[in-house]
Amino acid sequence: MKLQPIVKSLLETDMYKFSMGQAIYHQFSDYKTTWTFRCRNTDVYFTSDMVEEIREQIKAYCDLRFQEDELEYLNNITWIKGSYIDFLRLWKPRYADFEISEDADCGLSIETRGTWLNTSMYEIPTLAIVNEVYFRMRHDYDQLIVEFEKKLDEKTGWLAERKYRIGTFSEFGLRRRLSAEAQEMAVKKLSEADLGDSVFVGTSNVYLAKKCNVTPVGTMAHEWIMCVGQGNHKHNPAYSNWYALDAWVKEYGVLNGTALTDAITTDCFLRDFQLTYATLFSGVRHDSGDPIAWGEKMIDHYRTLGLDPATKTLLFSDSLNFEKASAIYEHFHGRARIAFGIGTYIANDTNVEPLNIIMKTTACNGMDVAKISDVSGKGMCKNPAYEEYLERCIRWRMDLNNRI
């Protein structure tokens, strides 16, 4: 490797990988998935040297093991069970699950194939490695980190001066961070600063949460709804949310309950998010579409079910900055519990455009899977015919004659 190891601990992933991972281990350990990398930036190219460094960094990641103090940290989280801790004690990443080449327009192709238990855990470290390799090898990193700290201090000052008021928020930037150094700087500064009326509660990065003594934040991602709902070939995929919510409640009961609404559109999600699930889950997360319209829809839904929206959390996490978050907070303040997960704006804000890279589930148990979010352009299905089939299933269910 030309660089120092980028991912230094198996805890260095997003919290929802452990919450989903435990449920996968207990209920879907035989599921197999394929994950595919994509760079959405049209002007970004990964050189052969970068690709080789990414390979070596991923090999180094695959040599890591959980340490006992890390397992003890996880074991002290209320909803994590001893059986899952014992599994993690034995677990290791497999480099054989990775296929890395230069066969892509951007110069970098990555696919992972294997059990869902394994491949789910690869997504976040892989994206963190790709980001840091790119920015260190393509740009003057020392200049970038100076720009990053200057902007971070300015943004922290905005909250302290109450230019923006955003209430409770967390840092969600691991997958697209400038570097491990930058993300740690951000979490430390935000956790130590006087932020006025705003409250920094934690980070999705479990390693940094442990190191900086803040809360690890995260519950479920789109992969959960896609694989649970679409990975079983007997399921009608328009009921993906029902299968996913049911399995989540089976695992956690009333604990760890923030439901993601837009895997197959929020409107379809609401068909399944009826009184039982709306009561058991403490809140919902927004990740696509107009946040104000979405929040109003959720508040109306809770009221229709006879539930007080003020007791529920609306978590916003879609391409946020402090200005957007402040406008959302002011609109909904006092009507529901408002929280934010803010990623790239905190973890990779310099004078250079950040990478827009993703790694998504593209197959489960040999069958295509897809996400149909509340806006176009956020999906990544390899088979247009399957995507069209899923859209037809959703339209069928949303028809006036198919309300259940």
Side-chain angles (χ1 to χ4, degrees):
M1 290 187 299
K2 296 180 179 179
L3 306 175
Q4 292 297 310
I6 290 170
V7 175
K8 300 180 178 67
S9 165
L10 292 182
L11 279 188
E12 202 161 2
T13 190
D14 282 340
M15 187 65 201
Y16 63 26
K17 289 298 180 178
F18 293 110
S19 56
M20 290 187 294
Q22 176 171 279
I24 294 167
Y25 174 64
H26 287 142
Q27 301 181 55
F28 304 100
S29 60
D30 60 336
Y31 274 34
K32 291 189 167 105
T33 56
T34 299
W35 291 67
T36 305
F37 168 86
R38 177 183 292 172
C39 178
R40 291 169 172 162
N41 305 74
T42 57
D43 59 345
V44 166
Y45 188 80
F46 294 88
T47 65
S48 296
D49 284 347
M50 291 178 188
V51 175
E52 184 58 30
E53 181 66 20
I54 289 165
R55 284 196 189 98
E56 294 304 314
Q57 289 285 342
I58 291 175
K59 286 178 183 177
Y61 157 73
C62 289
D63 285 336
L64 295 172
R65 302 293 181 274
F66 281 104
Q67 304 302 306
E68 283 303 315
D69 67 303
E70 296 172 337
L71 294 171
E72 182 62 26
Y73 176 80
L74 291 174
N75 196 44
N76 286 327
I77 295 172
T78 304
W79 45 264
I80 290 187
K81 301 170 184 176
S83 57
Y84 184 52
I85 297 297
D86 283 343
F87 164 75
L88 292 178
R89 185 172 281 112
L90 301 174
W91 184 77
K92 62 185 290 291
R94 293 181 72 249
Y95 185 70
D97 291 342
F98 287 82
E99 183 179 308
I100 305 170
S101 75
E102 300 176 38
D103 186 22
D105 290 342
C106 69
L108 174 64
S109 171
I110 304 175
E111 282 208 333
T112 60
R113 297 180 183 87
T115 63
W116 190 14
L117 273 169
N118 278 3
T119 51
S120 175
M121 294 293 278
Y122 302 154
E123 175 198 1
I124 306 301
T126 297
L127 293 175
I129 285 168
V130 170
N131 257 296
E132 189 158 346
V133 166
Y134 177 81
F135 284 108
R136 285 188 181 271
M137 296 182 72
R138 171 65 177 83
H139 296 282
D140 181 343
Y141 175 78
D142 291 338
Q143 179 61 34
L144 290 181
I145 199 70
V146 169
E147 295 169 6
F148 175 84
E149 185 169 17
K150 181 180 178 181
K151 286 175 174 282
L152 178 63
D153 288 340
E154 181 180 34
K155 287 180 284 195
T156 302
W158 290 340
L159 296 182
E161 297 159 6
R162 294 172 172 79
K163 177 180 179 179
Y164 298 119
R165 184 173 67 147
I166 63 175
T168 300
F169 72 103
S170 303
E171 185 276 326
F172 274 20
L174 173 52
R175 71 185 60 208
R176 293 176 184 167
R177 68 187 183 185
L178 172 64
S179 65
E181 175 189 13
Q183 189 183 23
E184 182 170 345
M185 180 193 300
V187 170
K188 283 184 174 179
K189 282 179 178 282
L190 289 168
S191 63
E192 294 169 359
D194 176 1
L195 300 178
D197 296 327
S198 303
V199 181
F200 178 74
V201 295
T203 174
S204 63
N205 183 333
V206 185
Y207 174 77
L208 279 185
K210 177 178 181 291
K211 186 173 183 178
C212 300
N213 195 30
V214 297
T215 302
V217 181
T219 53
M220 70 174 69
H222 295 99
E223 66 174 278
W224 176 254
I225 298 104
M226 291 163 64
C227 292
V228 174
Q230 301 171 41
N232 186 326
H233 301 189
K234 297 176 182 178
H235 290 173
N236 180 333
Y239 292 83
S240 292
N241 288 300
W242 183 89
Y243 290 109
L245 293 169
D246 185 64
W248 198 265
V249 169
K250 180 180 178 182
E251 185 70 30
Y252 295 114
V254 298
L255 299 175
N256 199 27
T258 302
L260 181 58
T261 70
D262 71 331
I264 55 169
T265 76
T266 293
D267 286 340
C268 195
F269 167 84
L270 293 179
R271 290 290 174 94
D272 292 313
F273 198 61
Q274 295 302 313
L275 184 59
T276 297
Y277 293 133
T279 301
L280 291 173
F281 281 79
S282 59
V284 286
R285 177 161 75 94
H286 169 267
D287 200 51
S288 66
D290 185 320
I292 300 298
W294 176 88
E296 293 291 350
K297 182 178 292 186
M298 294 310 308
I299 286 174
D300 288 345
H301 186 72
Y302 280 125
R303 286 176 176 157
T304 299
L305 297 175
L307 300 175
D308 182 0
T311 66
K312 298 297 182 179
T313 298
L314 304 183
L315 172 60
F316 297 85
S317 63
D318 182 31
S319 304
L320 294 171
N321 56 35
F322 288 167
E323 183 178 6
K324 292 178 183 177
S326 185
I328 294 168
Y329 180 81
E330 294 300 332
H331 184 88
F332 291 111
H333 179 55
R335 301 169 61 199
R337 296 173 179 170
I338 306 302
F340 299 97
I342 304 178
T344 308
Y345 177 72
I346 292 177
N348 194 354
D349 188 10
T350 70
N351 293 330
V352 174
E353 182 183 1
L355 295 183
N356 187 350
I357 58 175
I358 57 173
M359 196 160 178
K360 298 291 186 184
T361 324
T362 49
C364 183
N365 296 331
M367 188 171 80
D368 296 291
V369 294
K371 177 178 77 167
I372 308 292
S373 66
D374 291 334
V375 293
S376 61
K378 299 197 80 170
M380 191 176 167
C381 182
K382 286 186 172 183
N383 184 350
Y386 177 77
E387 194 167 11
E388 195 274 333
Y389 162 71
L390 176 57
E391 289 173 341
R392 282 192 291 113
C393 289
I394 294 170
R395 287 196 301 270
W396 168 82
R397 189 170 181 204
M398 298 305 295
D399 185 89
L400 293 177
N401 296 321
N402 296 290
R403 288 196 173 276
I404 60 172

